[in-house]
């Protein structure tokens, strides 16, 4: 199994590589967790089936476009200073390192979901701060509000995306920029002082946080949670995307325990019971949750309060 790279390159054409897999994959399924709402200025999917995304690699900003070339291969084209680094990271981004061979759920719903979606691959970006900051923004607020905050901050303080893009896109700001965003801009973005202070702490510790991408999952979670304001939920949401951790369970999510309970047990459960119930699925608890949602088997009765604020930092 090899990947082939293009030899020619211009700023307009970018650089391309065909990434092959031994089995089927689905790029939108692998990359969809990286999208922060429909208006995400770092992500776009187009009618031709392509996924466009921007990122900030160690070598600089990059815009990249992924197209399914065959059921088991993806053509990646990238523009910008970070293009070559992105191409090297593309196999991991698409989930080539993901290993589901030991995942053998006993519950018939999960077993059927796994049978229907054997091509689910959990990718990893390897970029910790890029996954952590939006997770912090999403603490204690609704998705729509958090996505609006993300859109405002990245569009105002991020770099314009290099290369051609299907819409106006921006690149995740540098750690130094996040650290220096004025308090009034966080206020305009509807990010309260508690979350903005956590973002600043994370930006100041960016170097140590990025080291988590080379650690064991346990050590990485400890490194993430060493930042005041980063709790179990925030660390799990980060590990899912940056580290491709198949076991990172989002304990503290407002809906998740109830969804797991109603979907698999036919009754509501709390976080403590969810952790205990899903323990036999370790180290694939996040995989099980993804399969539950992607298969359409996730369910929860529509009653009770429509919204709530949940403080994820103490979980």
């Amino acid at each position: 199994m090899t990947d082939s790279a293009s030899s020619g390159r211009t700023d307009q054409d970018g650089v391309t590589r065909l990434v092959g897999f031994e089995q089927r994959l689905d790029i939108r399924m692998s990359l969809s967790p990286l999208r922060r709402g429909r208006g995400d200025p770092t992500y776009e999917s187009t009618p031709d089936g392509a996924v466009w995304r921007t990122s900030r690699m160690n070598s600089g900003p990059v815009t990249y476009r992924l197209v399914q070339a065959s059921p088991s291969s993806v053509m990646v084209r990238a523009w910008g200073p970070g293009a070559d680094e992105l191409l090297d990271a593309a196999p991991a981004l698409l989930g080539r390192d993901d290993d589901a061979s030991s995942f053998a759920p006993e519950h018939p719903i999960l077993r059927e979901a796994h049978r229907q979606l054997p091509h689910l691959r959990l990718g990893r970006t390897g970029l910790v701060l890029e996954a952590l900051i939006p997770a912090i923004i999403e603490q204690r607020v609704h998705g729509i509000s958090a996505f609006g905050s993300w859109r405002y901050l990245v569009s105002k303080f991020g770099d314009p995306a290099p290369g051609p893009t299907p819409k106006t896109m921006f690149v995740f700001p540098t750690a130094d920029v996040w650290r220096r965003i004025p308090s009034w801009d966080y206020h305009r973005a509807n990010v309260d002082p508690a979350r903005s202070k956590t973002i600043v702490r994370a930006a100041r510790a960016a170097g140590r946080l990025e080291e988590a991408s080379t650690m064991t999952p346990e050590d990485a979670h400890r490194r993430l949670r060493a930042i005041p304001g980063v709790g179990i939920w925030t660390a799990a949401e980060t590990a899912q995307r940056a580290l491709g951790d198949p076991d990172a369970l989002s304990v503290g999510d407002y809906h998740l325990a109830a969804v797991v309970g109603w979907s698999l047990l036919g009754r509501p459960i709390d976080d403590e019971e969810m952790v205990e119930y899903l323990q036999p699925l370790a180290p694939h608890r996040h995989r099980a949750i993804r399969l539950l949602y992607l298969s359409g088997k996730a369910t929860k009765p529509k009653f009770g309060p429509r919204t709530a604020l949940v403080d994820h930092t103490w979980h």
Side-chain angles (χ1 to χ4, degrees):
M1 178 172 58
T2 60
D3 302 327
S4 57
S6 67
S7 56
R9 177 177 184 169
T10 69
D11 288 342
Q12 183 63 27
D13 293 338
V15 58
T16 61
R17 183 173 298 175
L18 182 67
V19 180
F21 287 72
E22 293 179 350
Q23 297 177 334
R24 179 186 170 195
L25 79 155
D26 184 309
I27 57 172
R28 294 200 181 198
M29 190 180 296
S30 294
L31 297 180
S32 61
L34 302 180
R35 185 173 199 168
R36 308 286 180 170
R38 290 193 174 187
D40 188 345
T42 71
Y43 190 111
E44 180 69 2
S45 56
T46 51
D48 61 357
V51 171
W52 292 75
R53 191 167 181 270
T54 68
S55 193
R56 184 174 297 280
M57 311 301 292
N58 293 327
S59 51
V62 63
T63 299
Y64 57 96
R65 176 179 184 266
L66 304 101
V67 178
Q68 199 94 36
S70 75
S72 59
S73 65
V74 177
M75 182 62 72
V76 186
R77 177 169 291 178
W79 298 263
D84 290 325
E85 186 181 357
L86 182 281
L87 292 184
D88 290 339
L93 175 70
L94 291 164
R96 184 187 280 180
D97 299 333
D98 185 32
D99 182 6
S101 60
S102 63
F103 181 59
E106 295 184 0
H107 196 290
I109 288 179
L110 291 176
R111 191 165 59 243
E112 176 62 15
H114 188 39
R115 186 194 67 81
Q116 291 179 357
L117 301 168
H119 51 290
L120 170 63
R121 294 182 178 275
L122 305 179
R124 52 173 286 147
T125 65
L127 302 171
V128 177
L129 196 68
E130 188 176 279
L132 176 58
I133 285 182
I136 294 169
I137 291 172
E138 291 168 13
Q139 291 176 349
R140 307 188 307 275
V141 298
H142 293 241
I144 292 176
S145 175
F147 296 154
S149 301
W150 170 253
R151 183 169 59 251
Y152 173 89
L153 292 169
V154 174
S155 298
K156 181 165 185 177
F157 295 101
D159 296 326
T165 55
K167 68 175 185 180
T168 301
M169 299 180 73
F170 294 89
V171 179
F172 181 78
T174 65
D176 189 57
V177 168
W178 282 110
R179 186 169 62 85
R180 296 175 183 276
I181 291 175
S183 59
W184 56 84
D185 272 306
Y186 279 118
H187 179 72
R188 288 171 183 159
N190 197 29
V191 176
D192 59 75
R195 287 180 291 154
S196 65
K197 288 176 182 177
T198 303
I199 289 172
V200 172
R201 293 188 197 106
R204 286 173 175 165
R208 286 183 53 77
L209 286 171
E210 295 301 344
E211 292 173 358
S213 65
T214 64
M215 296 177 176
T216 65
E218 294 78 15
D219 288 343
H221 278 260
R222 279 192 289 270
R223 179 64 59 88
L224 288 165
R225 295 193 62 192
I227 303 298
V230 175
I232 292 177
W233 181 89
T234 308
E237 292 285 307
T238 303
Q240 291 162 13
R241 295 163 175 81
L243 313 179
D245 185 349
D247 199 47
L249 184 62
S250 298
V251 178
D253 189 276
Y254 179 60
H255 299 285
L256 185 59
V259 168
V260 169
W262 282 110
S263 302
L264 302 181
L265 296 172
R267 61 178 175 84
I269 60 177
D270 59 18
D271 281 339
E272 185 177 358
E273 190 173 359
M274 176 184 70
V275 171
E276 181 180 359
Y277 180 72
L278 295 180
Q279 187 56 40
L281 292 173
H284 297 283
R285 292 176 295 174
H286 171 54
R287 186 188 312 281
I289 298 301
R290 286 274 286 145
L291 285 168
L292 190 63
Y293 277 95
L294 289 170
S295 65
K297 305 298 184 182
T299 185
K300 178 186 174 185
K302 295 182 179 179
F303 58 77
R306 184 175 180 83
T307 63
L309 295 180
V310 181
D311 187 346
H312 298 295
T313 63
W314 58 267
H315 292 292

